[in-house]
Amino acid sequence: MFDSFFLYALAAGIGVALVAAPLGCFVVWRGLAFFGDALAHSALLGLAFGMALGVAPGAAVLVFAVLFALALAALERLGPLASDTLLGILAPSLLAAGMIASTMLPGARLDLLGALFGDVLAVGPTDLAWIYGGGLVVLAGLAWLWRPLIAATADADVAAVEGISVARLNLALLLLLALTVALAVKVVGVLLIGALLVIPAAAARGLARSPEGMAIIAAVTGVLAVILGLSGSLAFDLPAGPAIVVAAALLFALSLVGGRQRQAA
Amino acid sequence: MDLTTRPLASAAGTSPADLRSLPTARPLVEMQGVTVTFNNRPALHGVNLAVRSGEVVTLIGPNGSGKTTLIRVLGGLIKADAGKVEKRDGLRIGYVPQRTHIRNSLPMTVARFLALGGKVNRAGVAEALAEVGADGLADASIHQLSGGEFQRVALARALMQRPDLLLLDEPAQGVDVAGQAQLYQLIDRLRRERGLGVVLSSHDLHLVMAATDRVVCLNGHVCCVGSPASVANDPAFRGLFGEAAAALAVYRHDPAHDHNHDHGSDGVCDHDHHHS
């Protein structure tokens, strides 16, 4: 009854949602929503360069995300500007530069709409292999570092005194986040990745009593959003990436009601 | 002047059995000439300090005098720009920061918070909570604790590290008077029963004096060191806190734990104020 493109899209969306959920929890716990957004925006420049140099787009996106994070850290150390100001400079500038770079590409030009909002219905077996292979790497890394990451998130100083090397953990989290961005570009595009990270985690907060519980509820929420969004896209001919994000937002609204009732109980 | 090599300036006030038997015990941690600079402004200058097992050292000083910085240097969170910090091999440190702000977005029970420091079981959690008088809080959300409850829980987590040295930054802050008395009794018990070295900071002079062996009066540099009584009578201390505060400072909580009022021998005061 479903065409294979739809099944591929479903598989890709679910894979990305499962990876984005726990990382999105860290984004929410650490107040990195704006950072995650900016990280994703840097991906457009990565895509353009990857295409120009003939490198795998995922690898180029990863490199640019890491470069962006290093630039941000250096700017924070150098000057008196708060990180939200710096992000407010870097995120749109990188997006603009990515846009310009993509128009300068010779020959086969970058599918801009797809890069910005996702092109999940065009996912093929190679993309799927990327998403699931990379996703497994991210989830394995996260599982390995889970306890110290949670400790460093709750209170970095106490964790450091207890012997956790917080700076190294932060770097690891950044790499995992960059990898997740690289995996998610194809599904929701650089403009909407932030939403895929933050919304399911935010929806899970009111229903969770533990960090793990929140990550699991976020994963379920993300998967539901993918299924609902893609079904809506198929039924009403909606753009797929935006449909997934709107579905996630609706689930978030529902979670507010659910959370209220839980508190009342 | 080297304040650290004087033979146990604090021994007069410490429980005699532990320390007299170990008069030459190596300090848990020893600082020499520690200087820390933030943005070209010195936060600490030439600080010497040694802390031994079973000893309670209280840092007092006005806001911005470097109390928190000193504690963070001891905890290894800040590197000294000059000077040495020597820790005994394998030293285990428990640290309770002045404020812990755990974002509301991170769901966490008290039991889980305690387990963040390492592998613990349910019984270990209950035991640690009982020790700090926070029984029954294990399943409470960390976000719903009062300031005093949170301080106890944070202390329980520090104790679960089985520390040799306990660093408490303003532990009495946000704790009511009854809670403060309990806190100081607990510190006193930990030092006696487990032989912990304790470094705490406070600007509450009233309570500082209760269970302290040695007071370090800080104002960027060490102004004055000694037993509570000797420091209270020191001009440098009075200069920082005023006469009224000095009068308060000799107040004692626990007469059974009264210290030796031998002002001459256990007070070491540095009047050579090298402001920089």
Side-chain angles (χ1 to χ4, degrees), chain B residues 2-240:
Chain B
D2 187 352
L3 303 171
T4 57
T5 52
R6 290 182 63 107
L8 293 177
S10 61
T14 317
S15 71
D18 324 338
L19 284 181
R20 276 189 200 142
S21 58
L22 294 166
T24 54
R26 270 192 63 202
L28 295 171
V29 61
E30 184 163 13
M31 287 180 150
Q32 278 178 346
V34 165
T35 295
V36 176
T37 310
F38 293 134
N39 298 325
N40 298 322
R41 278 188 56 212
L44 287 177
H45 183 81
V47 170
N48 299 329
L49 180 72
V51 184
R52 292 175 172 80
S53 289
E55 183 183 33
V56 179
V57 175
T58 300
L59 311 174
I60 57 172
N63 287 338
S65 60
K67 302 188 294 290
T68 294
T69 304
L70 181 45
I71 285 182
R72 289 171 67 82
V73 170
L74 287 171
L77 293 170
I78 298 177
K79 292 239 176 327
D81 295 309
K84 276 199 305 197
V85 182
E86 275 181 34
K87 291 176 186 167
R88 210 174 63 183
D89 284 344
L91 182 75
R92 297 180 65 88
I93 298 178
Y95 171 56
V96 180
Q98 188 168 356
R99 276 181 101 133
T100 298
H101 178 69
I102 298 179
R103 281 173 197 273
N104 249 321
S105 57
L106 180 62
M108 188 161 287
T109 61
V110 167
R112 182 61 199 278
F113 179 75
L114 292 180
L116 290 178
K119 289 194 189 81
V120 284
N121 54 26
R122 191 80 198 162
V125 166
E127 192 186 319
L129 286 175
E131 181 144 40
V132 298
D135 318 59
L137 286 182
D139 293 320
S141 162
I142 199 97
H143 304 292
Q144 277 155 9
L145 302 182
S146 70
E149 284 171 335
F150 188 85
Q151 282 289 16
R152 286 161 192 257
V153 168
L155 182 57
R157 173 155 167 205
L159 291 176
M160 290 180 86
Q161 294 291 305
R162 302 273 146 207
D164 309 299
L165 176 67
L166 197 54
L167 304 175
L168 309 173
D169 197 353
E170 298 273 3
Q173 213 175 44
V175 180
D176 60 24
V177 176
Q180 289 182 3
Q182 285 171 7
L183 176 69
Y184 280 87
Q185 278 164 13
L186 174 65
I187 290 171
D188 197 42
R189 202 180 75 225
L190 288 169
R191 156 279 276 287
R192 274 186 287 115
E193 290 176 2
R194 294 202 198 168
L196 287 186
V198 182
V199 177
L200 60 107
S201 69
S202 180
H203 54 241
D204 185 345
L205 300 173
H206 209 93
L207 281 150
V208 161
M209 307 300 170
T212 302
D213 299 309
R214 192 149 48 112
V215 175
V216 176
C217 182
L218 208 59
N219 193 19
H221 62 285
V222 175
C223 303
C224 186
V225 178
S227 73
S230 73
V231 164
N233 287 322
D234 189 88
F237 176 81
R238 294 184 175 220
L240 271 183

Side-chain angles (χ1 to χ4, degrees), chain A residues 21 25 204 211-221:
Chain A
C25 286
E212 295 74 26
M214 184 160 151
I216 289 167
I217 297 173
V220 172
T221 308

Side-chain angles (χ1 to χ4, degrees), chain A residues 58-255:
Chain A
V61 164
L62 191 62
V63 168
F64 269 84
V66 172
L67 284 178
F68 156 75
L70 293 177
L72 177 68
L75 285 172
E76 277 175 346
R77 207 163 302 163
L78 281 175
L81 294 173
S83 59
D84 71 323
T85 306
L86 294 171
L87 286 172
I89 296 166
L90 284 176
S93 305
L94 286 168
L95 194 61
M99 202 76 170
I100 291 170
S102 66
T103 60
M104 287 163 63
L105 284 177
R109 293 175 63 175
L110 187 65
D111 166 21
L112 256 185
L113 208 59
L116 293 176
F117 295 101
D119 196 11
V120 69
L121 297 179
V123 161
T126 326
D127 298 307
L128 264 190
W130 242 102
I131 288 171
Y132 277 82
L136 274 178
V137 170
V138 172
L139 289 180
L142 209 51
W144 185 44
L145 299 172
W146 187 262
R147 193 186 67 79
L149 266 176
I150 297 281
T153 302
D155 189 315
D157 284 346
V158 171
V161 172
E162 287 172 355
I164 290 172
S165 48
V166 174
R168 238 183 282 170
L169 272 180
N170 290 345
L171 182 67
L173 185 62
L174 167 77
L175 287 175
L176 294 176
L177 206 52
L179 196 53
T180 305
V181 165
L183 298 178
V185 165
K186 189 85 180 174
V187 175
V188 285
V190 298
L191 290 183
L192 300 180
I193 289 171
L196 203 60
L197 286 168
V198 167
I199 299 176
R205 172 59 185 103
L207 309 170
R209 290 262 301 156
S210 70
E212 295 74 26
M214 184 160 151
I216 289 167
I217 297 173
V220 172
T221 308
V223 168
L224 272 179
V226 166
I227 294 172
L228 287 173
L230 285 178
S231 306
S233 162
L234 192 66
F236 306 109
D237 197 23
L238 309 174
I244 291 172
V245 172
V246 169
L250 291 175
L251 289 173
F252 170 71
L254 264 181
S255 81

